[in-house]
Amino acid sequence: MQKNPSRKAVNLSFLWGIKAGFYMILLTLLLYFVTGSGYRPVPVWNHFLLLFIMFIAINSLKKKVYKGYLSFKQCYISGLIIGIVVAFIFGIYMFIHTSFIDKQLIINNIAANEKALSQYLSGTELQNKISVLKENTNSFSIAIKATIELILISIFLPLLVSIFLKKE
């Protein structure tokens, strides 16, 4: 009995999401060891990597599962699945990364936000915002931020990929 192409596409999209998450973790570790601690939980290069992997994955699905004909909806859903899987894998990794590997990332993140806030606020209002920022910035909040950022990016990246790969 042959599997439903949609079910097979979901399974393959999930596997591609796991692969993409692994590659993003490797890229983040590489950037950490080459450049040192950063100040952004999700480097911009990870967004380009996710776009590239989505393009390869959806093109592969188009050829293997859908035999060359892929609707915009099928393409978008596959990309969204890949992105959401990546977001959760990378969010878990960011918790581990900021807890054990790069504790300086939290300090750098607070310093970058403090610098940005100081351009618009001053005095006690600035001090209040900074103290709230210091209290609320921890490994868990960084992981949540990274997950949400990647989910939001994952809503738009499949649209871009779908424009180029769909074929009805």
Side-chain angles (χ1 to χ4, degrees):
M1 190 164 157
Q2 197 172 19
K3 272 188 171 179
N4 180 1
S6 297
R7 184 72 183 151
K8 188 174 181 183
V10 168
N11 291 340
L12 288 173
S13 297
F14 188 79
L15 290 174
W16 272 102
I18 292 170
K19 287 181 193 177
F22 178 72
Y23 292 137
M24 285 179 65
I25 289 169
L26 286 178
L27 179 61
T28 303
L29 281 171
L30 178 70
L31 289 172
Y32 170 69
F33 288 118
V34 170
T35 63
S37 181
Y39 71 94
R40 287 204 65 214
V42 184
V44 175
W45 294 110
N46 279 351
H47 298 168
F48 289 119
L49 180 64
L50 181 58
L51 177 65
F52 180 70
I53 290 173
M54 272 187 192
F55 189 83
I56 291 171
I58 293 172
N59 198 29
S60 173
L61 287 172
K62 177 181 170 184
K63 291 176 183 173
K64 291 181 182 176
V65 177
Y66 295 111
K67 299 178 180 37
Y69 293 97
L70 186 65
S71 71
F72 185 84
K73 178 182 172 185
Q74 292 165 327
C75 189
Y76 183 76
I77 289 171
S78 295
L80 192 60
I81 291 168
I82 293 167
I84 289 172
V85 169
V86 166
F88 285 105
I89 289 172
F90 197 74
I92 292 167
Y93 166 73
M94 282 311 297
F95 178 79
I96 294 167
H97 183 81
T98 55
S99 294
F100 304 109
I101 300 171
D102 186 11
K103 294 178 182 179
Q104 186 68 30
L105 184 104
I106 294 172
I107 296 165
N108 292 349
N109 192 299
I110 291 170
N113 285 320
E114 187 175 333
K115 184 178 177 183
L117 285 172
S118 67
Q119 293 177 356
Y120 302 104
L121 303 172
S122 62
T124 58
E125 190 177 9
L126 176 63
Q127 294 306 317
N128 291 339
K129 293 279 185 183
I130 290 171
S131 65
V132 168
L133 183 67
K134 286 180 180 178
E135 287 175 19
N136 294 324
T137 303
N138 55 38
S139 295
F140 185 71
S141 67
I142 295 281
I144 295 295
K145 179 184 178 196
T147 303
I148 290 171
E149 181 181 334
L150 283 171
I151 287 173
L152 292 175
I153 292 290
S154 297
I155 290 172
F156 297 105
L157 286 182
L159 291 172
L160 187 61
V161 173
S162 298
I163 290 170
F164 292 107
L165 289 181
K166 76 172 183 87
K167 186 175 182 183
E168 296 190 60

